[in-house]
């Protein structure tokens, strides 16, 4: 059986609207003035309309998680249909580096009808079996068959996927440094990475999830063509 391409999809502010849910939690915590805060222009939320420094966000984020932040998030319009469309043709793995999350992510996925199977805490696997982690990672993630899977991992570049759908500017830069294909959910804080992806030919930025399956198909077809050309060159 032909191995399916692996697509890794991030959750927060990629597949689901983290920022809106975070605003709601801040209001519940008694912090006024954030209900109409703009799309943050810095990934740390240390920017105009949000916080004055890099140290403010993380403690508030952790308090929001305790208030059920992850269960409050809503999929972006078209994201659910796009995920099922991609899963019919590819191996789809939701991967998140969320902290303080034991079960909320999986509960959320099931509540939205995404029959996600929890594979591993990959950080634990990597720490326990460092000698075999990278050798077995790609094959383990690329299971054939339908369905959507889920895992926790801090450094997603270890997954060696064919395509990543991501918003984190730091992760995107590391992926593109490795010449990896990316689809970027555009935000004010990752505009340089959007430009880099499109100028380098490594990816596309998108605002509407209905665009994602078509863009993914174009990038994967391009990768297959380049891989075949490399094989032909080696044979010659």
């Amino acid at each position: 059986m032909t191995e399916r391409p692996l697509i890794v999809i991030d959750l927060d502010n990629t597949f689901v609207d983290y920022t809106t849910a975070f605003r709601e939690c801040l209001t519940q915590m008694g912090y006024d003035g954030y209900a109409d805060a703009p799309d943050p222009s810095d990934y740390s939320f240390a920017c105009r309309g949000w916080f004055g420094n890099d140290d403010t966000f993380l403690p508030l984020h952790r308090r929001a998680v305790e208030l059920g932040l992850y269960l409050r998030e809503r999929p972006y319009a078209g994201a659910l249909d796009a995920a099922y469309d991609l899963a019919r043709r590819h191996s789809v793995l939701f991967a998140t580096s969320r902290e303080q999350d034991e079960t909320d992510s999986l509960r959320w996925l099931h509540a939205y009808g995404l029959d996600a199977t929890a594979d591993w805490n990959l950080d634990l696997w990597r720490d326990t079996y460092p000698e075999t982690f990278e050798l077995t990672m790609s094959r383990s993630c690329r299971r054939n068959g339908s369905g959507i899977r889920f895992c926790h991992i801090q450094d997603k570049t270890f997954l060696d996927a064919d395509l990543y759908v991501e918003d984190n500017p730091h992760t995107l830069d590391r992926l593109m440094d490795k010449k990896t294909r990316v689809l970027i959910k555009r935000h004010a804080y990752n505009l340089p990475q959007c430009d880099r992806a499109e100028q380098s030919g490594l990816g596309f930025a998108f605002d509407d999830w209905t665009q994602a399956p078509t863009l993914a198909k174009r990038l994967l077809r391009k990768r297959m063509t380049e891989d075949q050309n490399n094989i032909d060159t080696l044979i010659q």
Side-chain angles (χ1 to χ4, degrees), residues 73-157:
E73 296 182 46
R74 299 292 181 267
Y76 287 110
L80 289 170
D81 288 340
Y84 276 120
D85 188 6
L86 292 170
R88 282 194 291 270
R89 303 173 180 83
H90 312 293
S91 182
V92 171
L93 178 67
F94 283 109
T96 179
S97 58
R98 288 173 169 179
E99 295 184 358
Q100 298 175 284
D101 174 34
E102 298 299 329
T103 62
D104 281 0
S105 295
L106 200 58
R107 289 173 60 199
W108 184 97
L109 290 164
H110 287 167
Y112 274 92
L114 292 162
D115 187 19
T117 302
D119 275 350
W120 325 277
N121 181 324
L122 297 182
D123 290 312
L124 178 62
W125 183 18
R126 185 180 62 198
D127 293 342
T128 307
Y129 305 104
E131 299 84 2
T132 62
F133 180 81
E134 292 190 54
L135 292 174
T136 58
M137 174 59 62
S138 181
R139 178 173 294 179
S140 297
C141 288
R142 297 168 190 275
R143 295 180 188 171
N144 289 307
S146 60
I148 294 172
R149 291 170 296 114
F150 167 77
C151 73
H152 286 90
I153 186 167
Q154 289 294 320
D155 187 350
K156 299 171 192 173
T157 63

